[in-house]
Amino acid sequence: MDSDSTRLHQLGYAQELRRTMSGFSNFAVSFTIISILSGCLTLYGFGLDTGGPAAMIWGWPLIGVFVVLVGLGMAEVCSSYPTAGGLYYWAAKLAPRRSAAAWSWFTGWFNLIGQVAVTAGIDFGAALFLNAFLDLQFGFAATPGHTILLLAIILAVHGLLNTFGVRLVAVLNNVSVWWHLAGVLVIVGVLVFVPEKHQSASFVFGHFVNNTGWGFAPYVFALGLLVAQYTLTGYDASAHMTEETKNAATAGPRGIVNSILVSLVAGWILLLGLTFAIQDYDGAVNSPTGVPPAQIFLDAAGATTGKFLLLIAIGAQLFCGMASVTANSRMIYAFARDGAIPGSGVWHRINKRTRTPTNSVWLAAAGALVLALPYLWSATAYAAVTSIATVGLYVAYVIPVFLRVRKGAEFERGPWHLGRWGRPVGVVATAWVAVIFVLFMLPQAYPVTVGTFNYTPIAFLVVLGGAAVWWFASARKWFTGPKVQGTPAELAAVEEDLRAV
């Protein structure tokens, strides 16, 4: 047994998943899910209406500071507990013994709804961009029905890719890193050198736009922070993949932090390049493609080059969605392993040939499709999905960080840690997440109608309300948090059975 398997046994789990991922591959999963070519571009139209260039350009580094703090806090805990369960497992180990099961239960459910929503948001964005390209190239109209159809096809493809095994996904994620970095360079390079004119620096850094209907500018600026906060999510994937990563206690934390830092730099460059290249602001906002960045590409670089840039973005978004399904399925697998999801026996089942949780893969894909369906009757549904993802994930991110702060000197550090900075970082990170929890639940447009309603609170009420009812009615009597799978001999027997296949 190597040190990774030994540590996993100490945490109570058998090495059921195949441990083949390198540290770079672990970083690649999180970097791919953050996907600046997905989050930045798909919410760019929202940003044009909600604060405009000023909110997006200054909001990015502002949000980046707080995201780095949250990521640092998570990375320190990940080093201590490198398991696929990630956040909900950490919460159980860090909370007071009497309430550990409840902390674990609700952290897991926040993480679950956030993971499903971020998968929906990523692949929904890919469907929007793909629909725009098909409209431009073949006249396949950019309608809600067509977008949802494309979303279903994309989710099915991502389900199939993840069914074939972790090695294929790891290779594609490694390719994705270079696709994203090269893609940003190509897009920004074209937008810098090809257009005959560019916006002024005063426009890019100071132009404020309010098309929300709200009259209070600071509120609109705050709403516009969703562009950055949503984009910089998904880096918990490095934690969920630790049972498949070599040297997990250091590679997992580094994957979390490095994916954030690289995305911060590359994302700001992308936003600056795109905003300087705007030729017709109103034309971009009201683009017939339904995708403002696509219109900016076309206006700035012409039809042929513009479509080429659009294809680069679509490729990145498809990579991103594939990685999101991977991470989502590992979280579902781990949570089901501990009996916390209806039908846990089905969702925890491992495909012995591929050593992947195939059933969890398809649950992740189906849940994402269901969450995106309101787009058929609500034009603001995409912004709501991104709010659900942001709130759900960040609450799940910060609960273990908060519990680590409460534990103080009793916290058992792993090989990667923050030293004396652990507690201050955790305090600031917790305070920030409390702010955005309220902010992104609020109405994003006025007047508030059926078509403009932010249904984020409704989604949380349904899912987390159901989880709360289940907890008080039944689960609190039997859910004790992460289960130990057996004695060392029993864990070894499970692993031997899998190796024999």
Side-chain angles (χ1 to χ4, degrees):
M1 288 180 60
D2 59 20
S3 60
D4 288 309
S5 297
T6 300
R7 179 56 179 153
L8 193 58
H9 278 210
Q10 292 171 350
L11 298 174
Y13 296 117
Q15 184 65 61
E16 293 183 286
L17 303 174
R18 185 171 279 121
R19 195 179 290 274
T20 57
M21 298 185 76
S22 65
F24 181 82
S25 294
N26 182 282
F27 152 80
V29 173
S30 285
F31 180 74
T32 297
I33 296 177
I34 291 175
S35 183
I36 51 178
L37 288 173
S38 177
C40 285
L41 296 184
T42 52
L43 270 184
Y44 192 80
F46 174 83
L48 290 177
D49 283 328
T50 314
M56 287 191 286
I57 298 303
W58 291 113
W60 187 264
L62 172 65
I63 292 299
V65 171
F66 293 109
V67 170
V68 167
L69 295 178
V70 173
L72 287 171
M74 286 173 58
E76 184 177 50
V77 180
C78 177
S79 183
S80 295
Y81 308 108
T83 71
L87 309 166
Y88 85 92
Y89 183 97
W90 305 346
K93 295 301 181 183
L94 295 171
R97 181 169 298 179
R98 290 182 60 186
S99 59
W103 281 105
S104 177
W105 178 267
F106 286 101
T107 302
W109 277 100
F110 268 110
N111 193 197
L112 182 60
I113 187 175
Q115 287 270 6
V116 172
V118 83
T119 300
I122 292 164
D123 275 352
F124 184 77
L128 280 173
F129 273 60
L130 181 58
N131 205 166
F133 176 81
L134 294 175
D135 188 9
L136 291 168
Q137 191 68 27
F138 305 109
F140 187 71
T143 65
H146 286 166
T147 299
I148 293 296
L149 173 63
L150 291 172
L151 171 62
I153 294 171
I154 290 169
L155 285 167
V157 171
H158 287 159
L160 288 170
L161 285 171
N162 276 278
T163 298
F164 290 128
V166 70
R167 288 180 176 174
L168 175 61
V169 172
V171 169
L172 292 173
N173 282 327
N174 291 346
V175 172
S176 171
V177 173
W178 305 112
W179 183 285
H180 275 79
L181 294 176
V184 169
L185 290 176
V186 170
I187 290 173
V188 173
V190 169
L191 296 180
V192 167
F193 293 108
V194 173
E196 295 182 359
K197 70 182 183 73
H198 291 87
Q199 297 290 343
S200 65
S202 61
F203 173 88
V204 172
F205 291 96
H207 188 59
F208 184 83
V209 177
N210 178 11
N211 292 331
T212 65
W214 295 106
F216 188 52
Y219 176 66
V220 176
F221 180 89
L223 290 177
L225 297 177
L226 180 63
V227 175
Q229 194 77 61
Y230 165 70
T231 301
L232 298 169
T233 57
Y235 44 86
D236 59 314
S238 287
H240 295 306
M241 301 304 292
T242 49
E243 290 186 32
E244 297 161 84
T245 302
K246 299 173 183 177
N247 302 314
T250 53
R254 288 172 180 165
I256 291 171
V257 176
N258 290 339
S259 63
I260 295 170
L261 294 176
V262 175
S263 297
L264 271 177
V265 175
W268 208 44
I269 292 172
L270 176 64
L271 283 175
L272 287 169
L274 193 61
T275 308
F276 270 110
I278 294 174
Q279 306 294 303
D280 178 1
Y281 197 95
D282 291 336
V285 170
N286 301 305
S287 172
T289 67
V291 177
Q295 194 63 49
I296 294 171
F297 294 159
L298 296 171
D299 293 344
T304 302
T305 305
K307 291 176 187 176
F308 173 68
L309 299 183
L310 186 56
L311 284 175
I312 292 175
I314 292 168
Q317 291 160 5
L318 293 175
F319 278 124
C320 178
M322 179 200 65
S324 182
V325 171
T326 306
N328 193 352
S329 66
R330 273 32 173 205
M331 190 273 155
I332 293 171
Y333 155 79
F335 210 28
R337 180 170 59 185
D338 296 317
I341 301 175
S344 288
V346 175
W347 311 124
H348 169 230
R349 195 169 297 154
I350 292 288
N351 183 317
K352 292 186 177 181
R353 183 179 62 82
T354 62
R355 299 280 293 275
T356 56
T358 303
N359 293 347
S360 291
V361 167
W362 291 104
L363 179 60
L369 180 61
V370 169
L371 200 56
L373 288 177
Y375 180 67
L376 291 171
W377 61 85
S378 172
T380 59
Y382 180 67
V385 167
T386 58
S387 293
I388 294 167
T390 304
V391 172
L393 287 178
Y394 270 96
V395 171
Y397 289 176
V398 89
I399 287 175
V401 176
F402 166 72
L403 293 172
R404 179 261 178 270
V405 170
R406 287 186 59 184
K407 207 165 183 67
E410 296 179 11
F411 172 67
E412 296 181 11
R413 295 171 177 165
W416 194 103
H417 60 82
L418 300 175
R420 62 191 179 90
W421 291 102
R423 295 188 74 183
V425 165
V427 169
V428 177
T430 302
W432 175 248
V433 173
V435 171
I436 65 172
F437 177 81
V438 176
L439 176 62
F440 297 136
M441 293 279 191
L442 298 176
Q444 297 167 332
Y446 184 85
V448 180
T449 65
V450 173
T452 63
F453 181 69
N454 180 1
Y455 72 95
T456 303
I458 302 298
F460 276 100
L461 182 64
V462 171
V463 177
L464 292 173
V469 170
W470 188 15
W471 171 258
F472 288 107
S474 171
R476 63 189 176 91
K477 301 173 185 176
W478 51 264
F479 182 77
T480 57
K483 295 177 182 177
V484 173
Q485 284 185 308
T487 65
E490 290 169 332
L491 298 179
V494 171
E495 294 165 357
E496 186 61 32
D497 181 54
L498 289 169
R499 279 195 292 267
V501 177

